[in-house]
Amino acid sequence: MIIRNLKSLAGTDRRVESHSSKSTRFLLADDGMGYSLNLTEIEAGLEIEMRYDHHFETVYCISGTGSIENMATSEIHHIGPGTLYALDKHDHHILRSETRLELVCVFNPALKGTEIREPRGGYPPP
């Protein structure tokens, strides 16, 4: 059984910060679950272009508002508390935060630890 607490992960290598987000990594590859689980915080007013070529991601919004734009179709979808989106086709997208967003993010394959997004907007291969 794995038990972790958000406060206990502060100041550890499971707390990863970049220019666009803060991510607390509750589960990683070495936990052996087959996926990773992060709490990601994104400040208001950001526009982040991403494409995960090597991972699938599912995102659940806990708080805040924003939108996600599918770059292949130009469709824009509102994000708010209770919204889930899954990037099941390595979707090229733009995430826009109207207010501060708190998102639960699940990655498959699992992240290893301190990865940050590469220039194309994804994580390196596992």
Short mmCIF file of all heavy atoms in Angstrom, two decimals, residues 2-72:
data_model
loop_
_atom_site.label_atom_id
_atom_site.label_comp_id
_atom_site.label_asym_id
_atom_site.label_seq_id
_atom_site.Cartn_x
_atom_site.Cartn_y
_atom_site.Cartn_z
N ILE A 2 0.51 2.21 -0.79
CA ILE A 2 1.26 3.47 -0.87
C ILE A 2 0.37 4.57 -0.30
O ILE A 2 -0.77 4.74 -0.73
CB ILE A 2 1.61 3.80 -2.33
CG1 ILE A 2 2.48 2.69 -2.94
CG2 ILE A 2 2.30 5.16 -2.42
CD1 ILE A 2 2.64 2.78 -4.44
N ILE A 3 0.91 5.32 0.66
CA ILE A 3 0.19 6.44 1.25
C ILE A 3 1.09 7.66 1.14
O ILE A 3 2.25 7.62 1.57
CB ILE A 3 -0.14 6.19 2.75
CG1 ILE A 3 -0.85 4.86 2.96
CG2 ILE A 3 -0.91 7.38 3.33
CD1 ILE A 3 -2.25 4.80 2.41
N ARG A 4 0.57 8.73 0.55
CA ARG A 4 1.34 9.98 0.43
C ARG A 4 0.43 11.15 0.72
O ARG A 4 -0.78 11.09 0.49
CB ARG A 4 1.95 10.11 -0.96
CG ARG A 4 2.93 8.99 -1.28
CD ARG A 4 4.02 9.40 -2.23
NE ARG A 4 5.05 8.40 -2.24
CZ ARG A 4 5.15 7.41 -3.13
NH1 ARG A 4 4.29 7.31 -4.12
NH2 ARG A 4 6.12 6.54 -3.05
N ASN A 5 1.03 12.24 1.19
CA ASN A 5 0.29 13.44 1.52
C ASN A 5 0.92 14.62 0.81
O ASN A 5 2.15 14.74 0.75
CB ASN A 5 0.33 13.64 3.04
CG ASN A 5 -0.38 14.89 3.48
OD1 ASN A 5 0.18 15.98 3.37
ND2 ASN A 5 -1.60 14.73 3.95
N LEU A 6 0.09 15.51 0.26
CA LEU A 6 0.57 16.67 -0.48
C LEU A 6 1.60 17.47 0.31
O LEU A 6 2.66 17.81 -0.21
CB LEU A 6 -0.63 17.56 -0.87
CG LEU A 6 -0.31 18.81 -1.68
CD1 LEU A 6 0.30 18.44 -3.02
CD2 LEU A 6 -1.57 19.64 -1.86
N LYS A 7 1.32 17.76 1.56
CA LYS A 7 2.24 18.56 2.38
C LYS A 7 3.58 17.86 2.58
O LYS A 7 4.62 18.50 2.59
CB LYS A 7 1.61 18.90 3.73
CG LYS A 7 0.51 19.92 3.62
CD LYS A 7 -0.06 20.27 4.98
CE LYS A 7 -1.21 21.25 4.81
NZ LYS A 7 -1.82 21.61 6.09
N SER A 8 3.55 16.54 2.72
CA SER A 8 4.80 15.82 2.96
C SER A 8 5.68 15.75 1.72
O SER A 8 6.88 15.49 1.83
CB SER A 8 4.52 14.41 3.49
OG SER A 8 3.95 13.61 2.47
N LEU A 9 5.11 16.00 0.54
CA LEU A 9 5.90 15.96 -0.70
C LEU A 9 6.53 17.31 -1.03
O LEU A 9 7.41 17.40 -1.88
CB LEU A 9 5.04 15.47 -1.86
CG LEU A 9 4.52 14.04 -1.72
CD1 LEU A 9 3.61 13.67 -2.89
CD2 LEU A 9 5.66 13.04 -1.60
N ALA A 10 6.08 18.38 -0.38
CA ALA A 10 6.67 19.71 -0.60
C ALA A 10 8.15 19.66 -0.24
O ALA A 10 8.55 19.06 0.75
CB ALA A 10 5.95 20.75 0.25
N GLY A 11 8.98 20.27 -1.10
CA GLY A 11 10.41 20.32 -0.84
C GLY A 11 11.15 19.04 -1.17
O GLY A 11 12.33 18.92 -0.87
N THR A 12 10.47 18.07 -1.80
CA THR A 12 11.14 16.83 -2.21
C THR A 12 11.33 16.84 -3.73
O THR A 12 10.83 17.73 -4.42
CB THR A 12 10.32 15.59 -1.81
OG1 THR A 12 9.15 15.50 -2.65
CG2 THR A 12 9.91 15.64 -0.33
N ASP A 13 12.01 15.82 -4.24
CA ASP A 13 12.19 15.73 -5.69
C ASP A 13 10.91 15.34 -6.41
O ASP A 13 10.86 15.31 -7.64
CB ASP A 13 13.34 14.79 -6.06
CG ASP A 13 13.12 13.36 -5.60
OD1 ASP A 13 12.12 13.07 -4.90
OD2 ASP A 13 13.96 12.52 -5.94
N ARG A 14 9.84 15.07 -5.68
CA ARG A 14 8.53 14.81 -6.29
C ARG A 14 7.76 16.10 -6.54
O ARG A 14 6.65 16.07 -7.06
CB ARG A 14 7.71 13.85 -5.43
CG ARG A 14 8.24 12.43 -5.51
CD ARG A 14 7.41 11.50 -4.65
NE ARG A 14 7.89 10.13 -4.80
CZ ARG A 14 7.31 9.22 -5.57
NH1 ARG A 14 6.23 9.51 -6.25
NH2 ARG A 14 7.81 8.00 -5.65
N ARG A 15 8.31 17.23 -6.18
CA ARG A 15 7.71 18.54 -6.45
C ARG A 15 8.55 19.18 -7.55
O ARG A 15 9.71 19.54 -7.34
CB ARG A 15 7.72 19.39 -5.19
CG ARG A 15 7.20 20.78 -5.35
CD ARG A 15 5.70 20.81 -5.48
NE ARG A 15 5.26 22.20 -5.47
CZ ARG A 15 4.04 22.59 -5.63
NH1 ARG A 15 3.09 21.69 -5.82
NH2 ARG A 15 3.72 23.85 -5.61
N VAL A 16 7.98 19.27 -8.76
CA VAL A 16 8.71 19.73 -9.94
C VAL A 16 8.08 21.04 -10.41
O VAL A 16 6.87 21.11 -10.62
CB VAL A 16 8.67 18.68 -11.06
CG1 VAL A 16 9.38 19.18 -12.31
CG2 VAL A 16 9.29 17.37 -10.58
N GLU A 17 8.90 22.07 -10.58
CA GLU A 17 8.41 23.37 -11.02
C GLU A 17 9.06 23.73 -12.35
O GLU A 17 10.24 23.51 -12.56
CB GLU A 17 8.68 24.44 -9.97
CG GLU A 17 7.96 24.16 -8.67
CD GLU A 17 8.05 25.29 -7.66
OE1 GLU A 17 8.35 26.44 -8.06
OE2 GLU A 17 7.81 25.02 -6.47
N SER A 18 8.25 24.29 -13.24
CA SER A 18 8.74 24.80 -14.52
C SER A 18 8.24 26.23 -14.68
O SER A 18 7.56 26.75 -13.79
CB SER A 18 8.24 23.93 -15.68
OG SER A 18 6.85 24.13 -15.88
N HIS A 19 8.52 26.84 -15.82
CA HIS A 19 8.06 28.22 -16.05
C HIS A 19 6.55 28.31 -16.15
O HIS A 19 5.97 29.37 -15.97
CB HIS A 19 8.72 28.79 -17.31
CG HIS A 19 8.26 28.12 -18.57
ND1 HIS A 19 8.74 26.90 -18.98
CD2 HIS A 19 7.36 28.50 -19.48
CE1 HIS A 19 8.13 26.56 -20.10
NE2 HIS A 19 7.30 27.50 -20.44
N SER A 20 5.87 27.19 -16.40
CA SER A 20 4.42 27.25 -16.62
C SER A 20 3.59 26.47 -15.60
O SER A 20 2.37 26.61 -15.58
CB SER A 20 4.08 26.74 -18.02
OG SER A 20 4.49 25.40 -18.17
N SER A 21 4.23 25.65 -14.76
CA SER A 21 3.42 24.85 -13.84
C SER A 21 4.23 24.39 -12.63
O SER A 21 5.46 24.43 -12.62
CB SER A 21 2.85 23.62 -14.57
OG SER A 21 3.88 22.74 -14.94
N LYS A 22 3.48 23.94 -11.63
CA LYS A 22 4.05 23.27 -10.46
C LYS A 22 3.36 21.91 -10.40
O LYS A 22 2.13 21.83 -10.47
CB LYS A 22 3.77 24.06 -9.20
CG LYS A 22 4.44 25.41 -9.19
CD LYS A 22 4.04 26.22 -7.98
CE LYS A 22 4.65 27.60 -8.08
NZ LYS A 22 4.12 28.51 -7.07
N SER A 23 4.14 20.86 -10.27
CA SER A 23 3.60 19.51 -10.32
C SER A 23 4.08 18.71 -9.13
O SER A 23 5.29 18.60 -8.90
CB SER A 23 4.04 18.84 -11.62
OG SER A 23 3.58 17.52 -11.69
N THR A 24 3.14 18.16 -8.38
CA THR A 24 3.47 17.26 -7.28
C THR A 24 3.19 15.85 -7.77
O THR A 24 2.06 15.53 -8.14
CB THR A 24 2.64 17.57 -6.02
OG1 THR A 24 2.87 18.94 -5.66
CG2 THR A 24 3.04 16.67 -4.87
N ARG A 25 4.21 15.03 -7.78
CA ARG A 25 4.12 13.70 -8.38
C ARG A 25 3.90 12.65 -7.30
O ARG A 25 4.83 12.21 -6.62
CB ARG A 25 5.36 13.45 -9.19
CG ARG A 25 5.38 14.58 -10.26
CD ARG A 25 6.29 14.49 -11.31
NE ARG A 25 6.04 15.56 -12.29
CZ ARG A 25 6.84 15.79 -13.27
NH1 ARG A 25 7.92 15.07 -13.44
NH2 ARG A 25 6.56 16.75 -14.13
N PHE A 26 2.65 12.28 -7.13
CA PHE A 26 2.26 11.32 -6.09
C PHE A 26 2.71 9.91 -6.43
O PHE A 26 3.13 9.17 -5.55
CB PHE A 26 0.74 11.34 -5.89
CG PHE A 26 0.25 12.52 -5.11
CD1 PHE A 26 -0.06 13.70 -5.73
CD2 PHE A 26 0.10 12.44 -3.72
CE1 PHE A 26 -0.52 14.79 -5.01
CE2 PHE A 26 -0.35 13.52 -2.99
CZ PHE A 26 -0.67 14.70 -3.62
N LEU A 27 2.57 9.52 -7.69
CA LEU A 27 2.98 8.18 -8.13
C LEU A 27 3.88 8.33 -9.34
O LEU A 27 3.60 9.11 -10.25
CB LEU A 27 1.76 7.34 -8.51
CG LEU A 27 0.81 6.95 -7.39
CD1 LEU A 27 -0.43 6.28 -7.95
CD2 LEU A 27 1.50 6.05 -6.37
N LEU A 28 4.96 7.55 -9.36
CA LEU A 28 5.92 7.55 -10.46
C LEU A 28 6.20 6.12 -10.90
O LEU A 28 5.73 5.16 -10.27
CB LEU A 28 7.22 8.24 -10.02
CG LEU A 28 7.11 9.74 -9.75
CD1 LEU A 28 8.35 10.25 -9.05
CD2 LEU A 28 6.85 10.50 -11.04
N ALA A 29 6.97 5.98 -11.95
CA ALA A 29 7.25 4.66 -12.52
C ALA A 29 7.78 3.69 -11.47
O ALA A 29 7.37 2.52 -11.43
CB ALA A 29 8.24 4.79 -13.68
N ASP A 30 8.68 4.16 -10.60
CA ASP A 30 9.28 3.24 -9.63
C ASP A 30 8.31 2.79 -8.54
O ASP A 30 8.62 1.91 -7.74
CB ASP A 30 10.56 3.80 -9.03
CG ASP A 30 10.37 5.06 -8.21
OD1 ASP A 30 9.22 5.54 -8.07
OD2 ASP A 30 11.38 5.58 -7.69
N ASP A 31 7.09 3.36 -8.52
CA ASP A 31 6.07 2.88 -7.59
C ASP A 31 5.38 1.61 -8.12
O ASP A 31 4.64 0.95 -7.39
CB ASP A 31 5.01 3.97 -7.33
CG ASP A 31 5.59 5.13 -6.54
OD1 ASP A 31 6.28 4.87 -5.53
OD2 ASP A 31 5.35 6.29 -6.93
N GLY A 32 5.62 1.28 -9.41
CA GLY A 32 5.15 0.02 -9.97
C GLY A 32 3.67 -0.08 -10.28
O GLY A 32 3.15 -1.18 -10.45
N MET A 33 2.98 1.04 -10.41
CA MET A 33 1.54 1.02 -10.68
C MET A 33 1.22 1.00 -12.18
O MET A 33 0.07 0.80 -12.56
CB MET A 33 0.87 2.23 -10.03
CG MET A 33 0.96 2.26 -8.51
SD MET A 33 0.02 0.95 -7.72
CE MET A 33 -1.64 1.42 -8.15
N GLY A 34 2.21 1.28 -13.03
CA GLY A 34 1.97 1.28 -14.47
C GLY A 34 1.53 2.64 -15.01
O GLY A 34 1.33 2.79 -16.21
N TYR A 35 1.35 3.60 -14.15
CA TYR A 35 0.97 4.96 -14.53
C TYR A 35 1.53 5.90 -13.47
O TYR A 35 1.94 5.47 -12.39
CB TYR A 35 -0.55 5.12 -14.64
CG TYR A 35 -1.29 4.81 -13.35
CD1 TYR A 35 -1.51 5.79 -12.40
CD2 TYR A 35 -1.75 3.52 -13.10
CE1 TYR A 35 -2.18 5.50 -11.21
CE2 TYR A 35 -2.41 3.23 -11.92
CZ TYR A 35 -2.63 4.21 -10.98
OH TYR A 35 -3.28 3.92 -9.81
N SER A 36 1.56 7.18 -13.79
CA SER A 36 1.93 8.17 -12.78
C SER A 36 0.74 9.09 -12.55
O SER A 36 -0.13 9.23 -13.41
CB SER A 36 3.17 8.97 -13.21
OG SER A 36 2.98 9.60 -14.44
N LEU A 37 0.72 9.69 -11.35
CA LEU A 37 -0.37 10.59 -10.97
C LEU A 37 0.22 11.84 -10.36
O LEU A 37 1.03 11.76 -9.44
CB LEU A 37 -1.30 9.90 -9.97
CG LEU A 37 -2.54 10.73 -9.61
CD1 LEU A 37 -3.78 9.86 -9.68
CD2 LEU A 37 -2.38 11.34 -8.25
N ASN A 38 -0.17 12.99 -10.93
CA ASN A 38 0.36 14.28 -10.49
C ASN A 38 -0.79 15.21 -10.11
O ASN A 38 -1.86 15.16 -10.72
CB ASN A 38 1.10 15.01 -11.62
CG ASN A 38 2.11 14.18 -12.35
OD1 ASN A 38 2.63 13.22 -11.83
ND2 ASN A 38 2.39 14.56 -13.57
N LEU A 39 -0.52 16.12 -9.19
CA LEU A 39 -1.37 17.28 -8.99
C LEU A 39 -0.62 18.44 -9.63
O LEU A 39 0.50 18.76 -9.22
CB LEU A 39 -1.61 17.56 -7.51
CG LEU A 39 -2.39 18.85 -7.23
CD1 LEU A 39 -3.80 18.76 -7.79
CD2 LEU A 39 -2.41 19.17 -5.75
N THR A 40 -1.21 19.03 -10.66
CA THR A 40 -0.55 20.11 -11.39
C THR A 40 -1.29 21.41 -11.15
O THR A 40 -2.51 21.46 -11.24
CB THR A 40 -0.51 19.78 -12.90
OG1 THR A 40 0.22 18.56 -13.08
CG2 THR A 40 0.17 20.88 -13.69
N GLU A 41 -0.53 22.46 -10.85
CA GLU A 41 -1.07 23.78 -10.61
C GLU A 41 -0.56 24.71 -11.71
O GLU A 41 0.64 24.78 -11.96
CB GLU A 41 -0.61 24.29 -9.25
CG GLU A 41 -0.96 23.37 -8.10
CD GLU A 41 -0.12 23.63 -6.88
OE1 GLU A 41 -0.29 24.70 -6.27
OE2 GLU A 41 0.73 22.77 -6.56
N ILE A 42 -1.50 25.42 -12.34
CA ILE A 42 -1.16 26.34 -13.42
C ILE A 42 -1.75 27.70 -13.07
O ILE A 42 -2.96 27.80 -12.81
CB ILE A 42 -1.69 25.83 -14.77
CG1 ILE A 42 -1.04 24.48 -15.09
CG2 ILE A 42 -1.44 26.84 -15.88
CD1 ILE A 42 -1.57 23.80 -16.31
N GLU A 43 -0.92 28.72 -13.08
CA GLU A 43 -1.38 30.06 -12.73
C GLU A 43 -2.28 30.63 -13.82
O GLU A 43 -2.24 30.21 -14.98
CB GLU A 43 -0.19 30.99 -12.48
CG GLU A 43 0.61 30.61 -11.24
CD GLU A 43 -0.22 30.55 -9.96
OE1 GLU A 43 -1.08 31.43 -9.74
OE2 GLU A 43 -0.02 29.60 -9.18
N ALA A 44 -3.06 31.63 -13.46
CA ALA A 44 -4.00 32.27 -14.38
C ALA A 44 -3.26 32.98 -15.52
O ALA A 44 -2.14 33.46 -15.35
CB ALA A 44 -4.85 33.29 -13.62
N GLY A 45 -3.92 33.01 -16.67
CA GLY A 45 -3.42 33.80 -17.80
C GLY A 45 -2.34 33.15 -18.63
O GLY A 45 -1.70 33.83 -19.43
N LEU A 46 -2.15 31.85 -18.51
CA LEU A 46 -1.11 31.18 -19.28
C LEU A 46 -1.70 30.45 -20.48
O LEU A 46 -2.86 30.04 -20.49
CB LEU A 46 -0.34 30.18 -18.42
CG LEU A 46 0.47 30.78 -17.28
CD1 LEU A 46 1.18 29.69 -16.50
CD2 LEU A 46 1.48 31.80 -17.80
N GLU A 47 -0.88 30.30 -21.49
CA GLU A 47 -1.21 29.55 -22.70
C GLU A 47 -0.04 28.59 -22.93
O GLU A 47 1.09 29.03 -23.16
CB GLU A 47 -1.37 30.50 -23.88
CG GLU A 47 -1.80 29.85 -25.15
CD GLU A 47 -2.12 30.85 -26.24
OE1 GLU A 47 -3.11 31.60 -26.09
OE2 GLU A 47 -1.38 30.88 -27.23
N ILE A 48 -0.32 27.28 -22.85
CA ILE A 48 0.74 26.27 -22.91
C ILE A 48 0.45 25.32 -24.05
O ILE A 48 -0.56 24.60 -24.03
CB ILE A 48 0.84 25.50 -21.58
CG1 ILE A 48 0.95 26.46 -20.40
CG2 ILE A 48 2.01 24.53 -21.62
CD1 ILE A 48 0.69 25.81 -19.07
N GLU A 49 1.34 25.31 -25.04
CA GLU A 49 1.19 24.38 -26.17
C GLU A 49 1.90 23.08 -25.83
O GLU A 49 3.06 23.09 -25.40
CB GLU A 49 1.78 25.00 -27.43
CG GLU A 49 1.52 24.19 -28.67
CD GLU A 49 1.89 24.92 -29.95
OE1 GLU A 49 2.14 26.14 -29.91
OE2 GLU A 49 1.94 24.24 -31.00
N MET A 50 1.19 21.97 -26.03
CA MET A 50 1.74 20.66 -25.65
C MET A 50 1.39 19.60 -26.68
O MET A 50 0.38 19.70 -27.37
CB MET A 50 1.17 20.23 -24.28
CG MET A 50 1.60 21.11 -23.14
SD MET A 50 0.85 20.62 -21.57
CE MET A 50 -0.63 21.61 -21.60
N ARG A 51 2.24 18.59 -26.73
CA ARG A 51 2.00 17.38 -27.52
C ARG A 51 2.84 16.28 -26.90
O ARG A 51 4.06 16.33 -26.92
CB ARG A 51 2.42 17.58 -28.97
CG ARG A 51 2.20 16.34 -29.81
CD ARG A 51 2.69 16.50 -31.22
NE ARG A 51 2.55 17.86 -31.67
CZ ARG A 51 2.72 18.27 -32.91
NH1 ARG A 51 3.02 17.41 -33.84
NH2 ARG A 51 2.59 19.52 -33.23
N TYR A 52 2.17 15.30 -26.32
CA TYR A 52 2.86 14.19 -25.68
C TYR A 52 3.01 13.06 -26.69
O TYR A 52 2.12 12.24 -26.86
CB TYR A 52 2.09 13.71 -24.45
CG TYR A 52 2.01 14.77 -23.37
CD1 TYR A 52 0.81 15.40 -23.07
CD2 TYR A 52 3.15 15.14 -22.64
CE1 TYR A 52 0.74 16.37 -22.08
CE2 TYR A 52 3.09 16.10 -21.66
CZ TYR A 52 1.88 16.71 -21.39
OH TYR A 52 1.82 17.67 -20.41
N ASP A 53 4.15 13.02 -27.39
CA ASP A 53 4.40 12.00 -28.40
C ASP A 53 4.62 10.62 -27.80
O ASP A 53 4.41 9.61 -28.47
CB ASP A 53 5.61 12.38 -29.25
CG ASP A 53 5.37 13.61 -30.11
OD1 ASP A 53 4.22 13.80 -30.56
OD2 ASP A 53 6.33 14.37 -30.32
N HIS A 54 5.06 10.56 -26.54
CA HIS A 54 5.45 9.29 -25.92
C HIS A 54 4.53 8.87 -24.77
O HIS A 54 4.77 7.84 -24.15
CB HIS A 54 6.89 9.39 -25.41
CG HIS A 54 7.84 9.90 -26.44
ND1 HIS A 54 8.21 9.16 -27.54
CD2 HIS A 54 8.46 11.10 -26.56
CE1 HIS A 54 9.03 9.88 -28.28
NE2 HIS A 54 9.20 11.04 -27.71
N HIS A 55 3.53 9.68 -24.46
CA HIS A 55 2.65 9.40 -23.33
C HIS A 55 1.20 9.67 -23.69
O HIS A 55 0.91 10.50 -24.55
CB HIS A 55 3.01 10.29 -22.13
CG HIS A 55 4.37 10.07 -21.60
ND1 HIS A 55 5.50 10.67 -22.14
CD2 HIS A 55 4.81 9.29 -20.58
CE1 HIS A 55 6.56 10.28 -21.48
NE2 HIS A 55 6.17 9.44 -20.53
N PHE A 56 0.31 8.99 -23.01
CA PHE A 56 -1.11 9.34 -23.00
C PHE A 56 -1.35 10.05 -21.68
O PHE A 56 -0.73 9.71 -20.67
CB PHE A 56 -1.99 8.09 -23.10
CG PHE A 56 -1.85 7.37 -24.40
CD1 PHE A 56 -1.19 6.16 -24.47
CD2 PHE A 56 -2.38 7.90 -25.57
CE1 PHE A 56 -1.05 5.49 -25.67
CE2 PHE A 56 -2.25 7.24 -26.78
CZ PHE A 56 -1.57 6.03 -26.83
N GLU A 57 -2.27 11.01 -21.69
CA GLU A 57 -2.56 11.75 -20.46
C GLU A 57 -4.07 11.89 -20.29
O GLU A 57 -4.79 12.16 -21.24
CB GLU A 57 -1.94 13.14 -20.51
CG GLU A 57 -2.19 13.93 -19.22
CD GLU A 57 -1.76 15.39 -19.29
OE1 GLU A 57 -1.77 15.97 -20.40
OE2 GLU A 57 -1.43 15.94 -18.24
N THR A 58 -4.52 11.70 -19.06
CA THR A 58 -5.89 12.00 -18.67
C THR A 58 -5.82 13.06 -17.60
O THR A 58 -5.00 12.97 -16.67
CB THR A 58 -6.59 10.74 -18.13
OG1 THR A 58 -6.60 9.74 -19.15
CG2 THR A 58 -8.02 11.05 -17.70
N VAL A 59 -6.68 14.08 -17.73
CA VAL A 59 -6.65 15.23 -16.82
C VAL A 59 -8.04 15.45 -16.25
O VAL A 59 -9.03 15.47 -16.99
CB VAL A 59 -6.19 16.50 -17.58
CG1 VAL A 59 -6.22 17.72 -16.67
CG2 VAL A 59 -4.81 16.30 -18.18
N TYR A 60 -8.11 15.65 -14.94
CA TYR A 60 -9.36 15.96 -14.25
C TYR A 60 -9.18 17.29 -13.53
O TYR A 60 -8.22 17.47 -12.76
CB TYR A 60 -9.71 14.86 -13.24
CG TYR A 60 -10.98 15.14 -12.48
CD1 TYR A 60 -12.22 14.93 -13.08
CD2 TYR A 60 -10.94 15.64 -11.19
CE1 TYR A 60 -13.39 15.20 -12.39
CE2 TYR A 60 -12.12 15.91 -10.50
CZ TYR A 60 -13.33 15.70 -11.10
OH TYR A 60 -14.49 15.97 -10.43
N CYS A 61 -10.07 18.23 -13.79
CA CYS A 61 -9.99 19.56 -13.19
C CYS A 61 -10.65 19.57 -11.82
O CYS A 61 -11.84 19.28 -11.70
CB CYS A 61 -10.65 20.58 -14.11
SG CYS A 61 -10.59 22.27 -13.46
N ILE A 62 -9.88 19.94 -10.81
CA ILE A 62 -10.39 20.07 -9.45
C ILE A 62 -10.94 21.48 -9.24
O ILE A 62 -12.00 21.67 -8.68
CB ILE A 62 -9.29 19.80 -8.40
CG1 ILE A 62 -8.82 18.37 -8.50
CG2 ILE A 62 -9.78 20.12 -7.00
CD1 ILE A 62 -7.62 18.08 -7.62
N SER A 63 -10.16 22.49 -9.69
CA SER A 63 -10.60 23.87 -9.51
C SER A 63 -10.02 24.76 -10.59
O SER A 63 -9.02 24.42 -11.23
CB SER A 63 -10.20 24.39 -8.12
OG SER A 63 -8.79 24.51 -8.03
N GLY A 64 -10.69 25.89 -10.79
CA GLY A 64 -10.26 26.87 -11.78
C GLY A 64 -11.01 26.72 -13.09
O GLY A 64 -11.82 25.79 -13.26
N THR A 65 -10.74 27.65 -14.01
CA THR A 65 -11.37 27.61 -15.32
C THR A 65 -10.34 27.88 -16.39
O THR A 65 -9.34 28.56 -16.18
CB THR A 65 -12.51 28.65 -15.45
OG1 THR A 65 -11.97 29.95 -15.22
CG2 THR A 65 -13.65 28.36 -14.48
N GLY A 66 -10.63 27.34 -17.57
CA GLY A 66 -9.74 27.52 -18.72
C GLY A 66 -10.34 26.83 -19.92
O GLY A 66 -11.54 26.56 -19.98
N SER A 67 -9.47 26.52 -20.88
CA SER A 67 -9.93 25.83 -22.08
C SER A 67 -8.78 25.01 -22.64
O SER A 67 -7.61 25.24 -22.34
CB SER A 67 -10.43 26.83 -23.13
OG SER A 67 -9.36 27.67 -23.56
N ILE A 68 -9.17 24.05 -23.47
CA ILE A 68 -8.20 23.26 -24.21
C ILE A 68 -8.60 23.32 -25.68
O ILE A 68 -9.77 23.17 -26.03
CB ILE A 68 -8.12 21.80 -23.70
CG1 ILE A 68 -7.03 21.03 -24.46
CG2 ILE A 68 -9.45 21.11 -23.75
CD1 ILE A 68 -6.68 19.70 -23.84
N GLU A 69 -7.62 23.61 -26.53
CA GLU A 69 -7.86 23.69 -27.97
C GLU A 69 -7.16 22.53 -28.65
O GLU A 69 -5.96 22.31 -28.47
CB GLU A 69 -7.33 25.00 -28.54
CG GLU A 69 -7.54 25.13 -30.03
CD GLU A 69 -7.11 26.47 -30.60
OE1 GLU A 69 -6.71 27.37 -29.84
OE2 GLU A 69 -7.17 26.62 -31.84
N ASN A 70 -7.92 21.78 -29.44
CA ASN A 70 -7.38 20.70 -30.24
C ASN A 70 -6.79 21.33 -31.50
O ASN A 70 -7.52 21.89 -32.33
CB ASN A 70 -8.49 19.71 -30.59
CG ASN A 70 -8.01 18.53 -31.39
OD1 ASN A 70 -7.05 18.63 -32.17
ND2 ASN A 70 -8.67 17.40 -31.22
N MET A 71 -5.49 21.26 -31.67
CA MET A 71 -4.83 21.94 -32.78
C MET A 71 -5.15 21.29 -34.12
O MET A 71 -5.06 21.94 -35.16
CB MET A 71 -3.32 21.98 -32.55
CG MET A 71 -2.93 22.77 -31.30
SD MET A 71 -3.49 24.49 -31.36
CE MET A 71 -2.38 25.13 -32.60
N ALA A 72 -5.55 20.03 -34.14
CA ALA A 72 -5.89 19.35 -35.39
C ALA A 72 -7.24 19.78 -35.93
O ALA A 72 -7.46 19.83 -37.13
CB ALA A 72 -5.86 17.83 -35.21
#
